[in-house]
Amino acid sequence: MTQSVDWMREAQNIHWFETPKQLLDDSNPPFYRWFPDGVTNACYNALDVHVANGRGNQAALIIDSPVTQHGRSYSYAELLDVVAHCAGAMAAQGVGMGDRVLIYMPMIAEAVIGMLACARLGAVHSVVFGGFASNELAVRIDDAAPKLILSASCGIEPNRVVAYKPLLDEAIDLAAHKPAACLLVQRPELLCEMIPGRDVEWSAALAKAEPHPCVPVPSNHPLYILYTSGTTGQPKGVVRDTAGGIVALKWSMKSIYNVEPGEVFWAASDVGWVVGHSYIVYGPLFAGNTTLLYEGKPVGTPDAGAFWRVIEQHKVSVLFTAPTAFRAIRKEDPDARLIHEYDLGSLKALFLAGERCDPDTLHWAEEQLSVPVIDHWWQTETGWPICANCLGIEALPVVPGSPARAVPGYDVVVLNEQGEPVSDDSIGALAIKLPLPPGNFTTLWNADERYEQAYFSRFPGYYETGDAGYIDDKGYVFVMARTDDVINVAGHRLSTGAMEEVLAAHHDVAECAVIGVHDALKGQLPLGLIVLSDGVSRSEDEIVSEVIASVRHSIGPVAAFKRCYVVRRLPKTRSGKILRATMRSIADGESFKLPATIDDPAILDEIAALIGVQA
């Protein structure tokens, strides 16, 4: 049932400085290279091309910030002007083609401007989510070795101002690599102290900068590095190339989301995640849409009608968000009374992704919005949807629990442990036959060997998604669970291994495990189990409080790590492997098969008595 795409034809729909003659270099699998002899620029395709084609007065970027009561709109011409000046300011700091620039920003216009300015110069941006703690940021600084860091004085949550500068300063202190300079946005809500000789104020730098033209780059030049959690706790720097990303994302805006140039597309995500890269910044701008950057929450800014207000005010055509957002709205306004206060006539469809959408949430959204509600599945690594109901090609019947069929360009299969395809409706490992289509990751930053080992070694000739599921006789894919121990908290993929490292570092903890347990609102929440060292006489509550605080400091509040219990021992196999999946089943109240290799089955009863009752 796999459909193909004529990618060479689609490549004609973007701007090239040198048009490619070769479609695919497959000489060194799995390092496939699309359009290898082409020369282009992502910023030119996002901005300059539209201005050149007479769309300069159309809105490109809408800023909506309920937390600051601020909003504005940039036309394509206005956005091009400020991005060109930002690129000039960065070039004045010595940034050139191939240099890395780390962006540690809240949801403000300057985050988008900084990303596009990097692309304009051929610099490689690496955006780190603003909620990450200093040591997580330091790891990424050392891995990417940025010449320049773009940041802001603060981020703003509904009830508090988060000082970014102290976190950034601590991260640079911790990192072995030191950036040459930091370009900082001073937000009026909290001004930060500047370090002379290193820190440069954003508006002053742009005011004296010369606008910089687009730098032509080879097709396979890295556009960005985006770090995603690895099971080892060592983050993986996913690398996206330039031309493949432009071609695939532009194709997806019409074919999958059915958005026309000039229509408003709103991805209610964060620029620090892949959704923000692909569908706040690049995809909509490549396609000539109007994109919306929202600095707020689904609830609490000010209420559960926030999304409806944005849709009405800005005439949003398509909304893309995580199921978590709709669970939060439903929790506060179960009868959807607030929705009737707004005119949502502009909305054509709702797309959900980031975690598996439960049928209950999907039905509730369908009932309230009366538009197609489309669950779709993709990953940081792929950069755009693997499976979706492609509204711009053909609207398929919605099947709750399934992100529909493989998107054209992807050949999705289900394999057993031996790497053999299984029959319809049989659960196995979801994999994608190589080559992956344009726009997928091309390697891991400075880790080619890890790229091969982590994704392509288990099933030769296939990309291993790390998800388990099945495909029915109609070609509908059902994604059931992660096959590793990365958990999904409100759409944020977080490594339990990284959390376990923090717990294990506590001087009273002998061993530990962190598992993801089901949560009706956030999808999953981490639950910690710690075994104390012999002879520890301190209060268990005190130790638990300390490790919870340590995770918050080391990983960040985004981990939502609030539940941790002291246990006498952990269930293990005879080879010493902790039985995390079994404990997850206990915590979620699911039936499970007793693992044949378990060391002592009585331990499971001890765990159940603790977390089964208290979960």
Side-chain angles (χ1 to χ4, degrees):
M1 287 191 183
T2 302
Q3 293 178 272
S4 62
V5 177
D6 183 343
W7 289 117
M8 202 55 137
R9 188 187 68 195
E10 296 304 324
Q12 294 170 15
N13 294 327
I14 79 162
H15 175 272
W16 297 93
F17 295 108
E18 293 179 25
T19 305
K21 294 180 175 58
Q22 184 180 356
L23 175 64
L24 176 67
D25 175 0
D26 58 2
S27 62
N28 185 28
F31 300 94
Y32 294 92
R33 298 290 180 257
W34 290 93
F35 321 112
D37 55 339
V39 177
T40 186
N41 181 282
C43 184
Y44 194 97
N45 278 278
L47 300 177
D48 303 65
V49 71
H50 302 303
V51 175
N53 290 339
R55 304 183 70 88
N57 292 328
Q58 180 202 306
L61 173 65
I62 296 169
I63 306 298
D64 188 299
S65 174
V67 296
T68 63
Q69 301 296 307
H70 166 77
R72 72 155 293 180
S73 176
Y74 292 82
S75 69
Y76 270 96
E78 289 169 333
L79 191 56
L80 171 56
D81 181 67
V82 70
V83 167
H85 279 85
C86 181
M90 289 164 52
Q93 296 296 327
V95 175
M97 181 170 158
D99 290 330
R100 274 79 61 210
V101 176
L102 189 138
I103 302 176
Y104 186 62
M105 288 264 201
M107 289 286 283
I108 57 178
E110 289 84 354
V112 177
I113 291 163
M115 292 167 73
L116 291 166
C118 287
R120 194 169 191 83
L121 294 172
V124 183
H125 64 69
S126 184
V127 183
V128 178
F129 175 68
F132 271 29
S134 295
N135 66 324
E136 290 284 337
L137 183 55
V139 169
R140 287 152 175 78
I141 290 171
D142 278 338
D143 194 64
K147 181 171 280 189
L148 179 69
I149 293 180
L150 309 181
S151 191
S153 57
C154 65
I156 300 166
E157 295 294 322
N159 303 312
R160 64 193 177 99
V161 175
V162 181
Y164 276 22
K165 187 58 166 31
L167 295 170
L168 176 61
D169 288 342
E170 184 185 351
I172 293 172
D173 286 344
L174 290 170
H177 173 83
K178 309 298 180 187
C182 297
L183 195 55
L184 295 157
V185 178
Q186 287 279 25
R187 303 192 76 183
E189 291 78 12
L190 179 68
L191 300 178
C192 66
E193 288 187 25
M194 308 286 277
I195 296 176
R198 187 195 76 185
D199 296 344
V200 181
E201 202 274 319
W202 179 283
S203 57
L206 265 64
K208 63 185 182 186
E210 292 293 323
H212 202 290
C214 285
V215 175
V217 301
S219 288
N220 305 128
H221 182 71
L223 176 61
Y224 66 76
I225 305 164
L226 181 56
Y227 288 95
T228 183
S229 297
T231 51
T232 63
Q234 177 64 30
K236 296 179 290 192
V238 165
V239 176
R240 191 91 52 222
D241 74 351
T242 300
I246 301 170
V247 173
L249 290 175
K250 185 171 184 179
W251 179 87
S252 75
M253 292 310 299
K254 173 58 182 166
S255 298
I256 298 175
Y257 300 105
N258 199 25
V259 190
E260 301 290 346
E263 287 191 307
V264 179
F265 183 86
W266 178 24
S269 180
D270 190 283
V271 289
W273 307 122
V274 70
V275 174
H277 284 57
S278 293
Y279 293 115
I280 295 176
V281 182
Y282 288 113
L285 296 179
F286 291 151
N289 310 132
T290 300
T291 191
L292 197 151
L293 188 79
Y294 176 70
E295 189 182 25
K297 305 289 183 186
V299 297
T301 57
D303 55 31
F307 275 23
W308 321 139
R309 190 270 302 164
V310 172
I311 292 168
E312 179 190 70
Q313 182 176 334
H314 303 297
K315 296 183 171 50
V316 173
S317 289
V318 174
L319 169 63
F320 176 165
T321 192
T324 302
F326 270 73
R327 293 189 198 113
I329 293 167
R330 184 183 182 185
K331 182 172 179 288
E332 287 211 1
D333 186 17
D335 299 322
R337 290 195 176 96
L338 289 170
I339 206 169
H340 303 297
E341 297 178 13
Y342 300 92
D343 177 3
L344 306 187
S346 65
L347 191 69
K348 299 193 303 186
L350 166 67
F351 281 80
L352 299 171
E355 60 195 309
R356 190 166 178 267
C357 181
D358 56 287
D360 203 31
T361 299
L362 185 128
H363 288 314
W364 186 85
E366 285 177 328
E367 288 169 15
Q368 308 310 328
L369 295 175
S370 301
V371 299
V373 177
I374 309 300
D375 180 19
H376 62 327
W377 169 57
W378 50 294
Q379 302 175 324
T380 302
E381 289 86 350
T382 67
W384 60 285
I386 303 167
C387 292
N389 196 333
C390 296
L391 295 186
I393 298 175
E394 177 192 6
L396 302 170
V398 171
V399 176
S402 171
R405 295 177 183 159
V407 170
Y410 288 94
D411 186 354
V412 179
V413 298
V414 182
L415 304 176
N416 62 19
E417 288 289 329
Q418 290 72 45
E420 302 158 340
V422 301
S423 57
D424 292 343
D425 299 311
S426 298
I427 291 180
L430 288 162
I432 303 168
K433 197 171 191 307
L434 298 180
L436 293 170
N440 278 246
F441 70 149
T442 54
T443 191
L444 297 175
W445 185 251
N446 287 334
D448 285 354
E449 192 175 318
R450 187 179 181 193
Y451 173 77
E452 289 191 83
Q453 185 62 35
Y455 297 101
F456 305 101
S457 62
R458 186 177 172 206
F459 303 123
Y462 295 90
Y463 163 73
E464 181 184 0
T465 68
D467 283 307
Y470 64 92
I471 302 175
D472 71 8
D473 58 356
K474 296 181 177 65
Y476 278 70
V477 176
F478 292 78
V479 184
M480 305 306 294
R482 288 296 295 169
T483 53
D484 58 25
D485 287 310
V486 173
I487 64 169
N488 198 318
V489 180
H492 304 161
R493 286 188 65 212
L494 299 165
S495 169
T496 55
M499 296 185 210
E500 289 176 0
E501 287 177 8
V502 176
L503 300 189
H506 191 284
H507 51 83
D508 291 334
V509 173
E511 60 177 341
C512 62
V514 176
I515 56 173
V517 299
H518 176 73
D519 179 77
L521 182 63
K522 291 182 178 287
Q524 281 183 301
L525 284 175
L527 181 150
L529 300 168
I530 56 175
V531 178
L532 300 183
S533 302
D534 290 344
V536 172
S537 57
R538 297 173 59 215
S539 157
E540 291 183 359
D541 290 345
E542 189 177 346
I543 295 169
V544 166
S545 295
E546 289 171 0
V547 298
I548 288 173
S550 293
V551 171
R552 184 180 179 86
H553 176 75
S554 298
I555 309 293
V558 70
F561 185 81
K562 297 173 183 174
R563 293 177 60 199
C564 185
Y565 303 119
V566 176
V567 296
R568 287 197 309 115
R569 51 193 180 152
L570 293 170
K572 297 178 183 176
T573 63
R574 283 187 288 274
S575 63
K577 188 177 186 301
I578 296 172
L579 295 166
R580 290 178 179 82
T582 307
M583 290 193 288
R584 267 199 303 271
S585 298
I586 292 171
D588 289 342
E590 298 172 351
S591 60
F592 61 92
K593 182 183 176 189
L594 189 69
T597 57
I598 190 168
D599 188 26
D600 183 354
I603 303 178
L604 295 179
D605 294 330
E606 298 168 13
I607 299 293
L610 185 66
I611 65 175
V613 173
Q614 299 186 40

